[in-house]
Structure formats: C-alpha cells, structure tokens
Amino acid sequence: MKKQITDERIIQETRKQNNLGFSILYFGLLFALLYRQYIIKSPISDYLDLAILFFGVTFYLAAKRVSSGLLTNKVNWKKLLPNSIVAAVVFLIINFFNNQYGTIFEALVSGSIFLLLFFGINLIMQYFSSRKNEDILKE
Amino acid sequence: MINRIKLARMELELTQQELADTVGVTRQTIHLIEKGSYNPSLNLCLEICYALNKTLNDLFWKEEDQS
C-alpha cells in the first residue's frame, strides 16, 4: 500500500469552513464594537478588550498582506485618491453626527488630516507590497 | 474538469475504496472526483494516474479541449 497522504479535499473543506468562521467572527466583532460605540454609547473602557482584539487582528492581516505582496502588484494612486476622499467624507459625516466639531474650520482640518493620513498610509502599503512582488521575481 | 477515472478503475476491476486506499484519500473523495464535483490537485491527479497506469491526458481534460 502507498504511503498515506492526508486527504486534500478534507483539508481544503476544513480550511474553507475555518475561513468562513473567521469572517463571521471578525465582522461580528466589528458590529459589536460599532453597536457599543454608536448605539448604546458605552464608555470605551467597557469594551477596550474587544477593540484591542479587533484592531490587533486587523493590523496583523494588513501587515501580512503587505509583507507577502498580496495587497497589490503595483502602486495605483489614481485609484487610491477617490477612495481616500470617500473615506474622509464618511469620517466627517460620522463625526458630524456625533457632534465632534465646534466650527466648520475644525471639520475641514480634521477631514484633511484624515485624508492625508489615509492616502499616505495606503500608498506606503502599496509601495511595500509591490516591492515584495518585484523581489519575488528576482529570486 | 472532466475525467475517465471510473472507466479506468473498472478496467482494472478496482473498487472506489481500493483506489482510495492506493492513493491515500477517502472513498468519498474518489467518488466526488469521478462525479466531477471535486477538482483534485495536480499531485493527486498524478497519484491516480500512477495507480491506474494511465497518463494525465488519458484521464483528465477540460471541455474546451474536446473541439
């Protein structure tokens, strides 16, 4: 009899189920945080542990995507700019409804800083991801 | 992906379980492959070919290739 190999179909199916389970957990955690923050308006100390867990996982996933070159093959700032603007608008709307701004000037400054940071961080991530892809080709 | 695994298996008078034991997978996996419900990896395709004394071309192809 040949050497036993682990059934690939079972491994694949198990992985798919684990992936779906993780997605449900991840987005469930996000909705739980949003609910605590915006619906019942709990103080952050009440759910800090969940927030740390959620952001920790998010940063891990982002870092792995970038370091493995899976995020993108090449830097595309033309696509990133409208995405950043939309993100900044959403950020402003949410903060507006939470009465975070005293004046329009404050809102503009806050929105501009968010836009620059969002755009800049994504650009840096795209750069490192594309560089990793170039390194793979050189191996 | 389409395959002729069932025909090739029957030529050698092997059951699904026997083929599964030979290549190291479950009987259900062989059944699903024969039915076309599961696409095996290249590694498993080769194991099946060796077990049935066939080549990849003999056992596996895609519909577009028939024309």
Side-chain angles (χ1 to χ4, degrees), chain A residues 2-136:
Chain A
K2 278 200 175 187
K3 176 183 75 169
Q4 282 286 327
I5 55 172
T6 318
D7 192 326
E8 62 176 43
R9 182 187 59 90
I10 292 172
I11 294 172
Q12 202 180 84
E13 198 59 39
T14 309
R15 271 198 196 130
K16 273 187 205 170
Q17 291 167 8
N18 287 342
N19 285 346
L20 183 59
F22 169 79
S23 296
I24 292 169
L25 191 64
Y26 182 81
F27 287 105
L29 191 54
L30 173 62
F31 292 135
L33 286 173
L34 290 172
Y35 172 74
R36 279 161 175 74
Q37 169 76 14
Y38 293 112
I39 309 289
I40 59 177
K41 298 190 193 298
S42 299
I44 195 161
S45 54
D46 285 357
Y47 57 90
L48 187 61
D49 51 349
L50 294 180
I52 289 172
L53 182 62
F54 176 78
F55 286 110
V57 169
T58 304
F59 287 136
Y60 167 79
L61 286 174
K64 285 301 278 186
R65 287 275 194 281
V66 169
S67 64
S68 58
L70 293 179
L71 183 70
T72 183
N73 219 354
K74 61 173 190 173
V75 178
N76 187 354
W77 67 268
K78 286 180 187 172
K79 204 174 169 183
L80 187 53
L81 190 56
N83 289 345
S84 304
I85 292 170
V86 168
V89 167
V90 170
F91 171 80
L92 282 172
I93 290 171
I94 290 172
N95 283 331
F96 175 77
F97 280 114
N98 279 290
N99 301 315
Q100 296 290 325
Y101 304 123
T103 64
I104 291 182
F105 178 72
E106 274 179 38
L108 281 173
V109 169
S110 173
S112 303
I113 292 171
F114 181 90
L115 174 67
L116 284 170
L117 280 174
F118 189 93
F119 183 78
I121 290 170
N122 273 281
L123 202 63
I124 291 168
M125 285 168 65
Q126 282 192 8
Y127 168 73
F128 282 112
S129 181
S130 65
R131 215 174 82 170
K132 174 64 185 176
N133 281 313
E134 284 164 20
D135 289 346
I136 290 170

Side-chain angles (χ1 to χ4, degrees), chain B residues 12-63:
Chain B
L12 296 175
E13 294 179 0
L14 287 173
T15 61
Q16 284 183 339
Q17 186 62 63
E18 285 167 345
L19 179 58
D21 289 342
T22 306
V23 301
V25 295
T26 59
R27 186 193 155 191
Q28 286 77 10
T29 299
I30 297 296
H31 172 74
L32 288 168
I33 293 171
E34 287 181 359
K35 214 173 121 183
S37 299
Y38 174 70
N39 286 331
S41 67
L42 179 59
N43 190 45
L44 184 53
C45 285
L46 288 170
E47 293 281 348
I48 293 170
C49 289
Y50 299 150
L52 298 175
N53 296 319
K54 299 283 184 190
T55 65
L56 277 175
N57 274 342
D58 291 336
L59 292 183
F60 301 99
W61 73 96
K62 285 184 82 171
E63 225 163 33

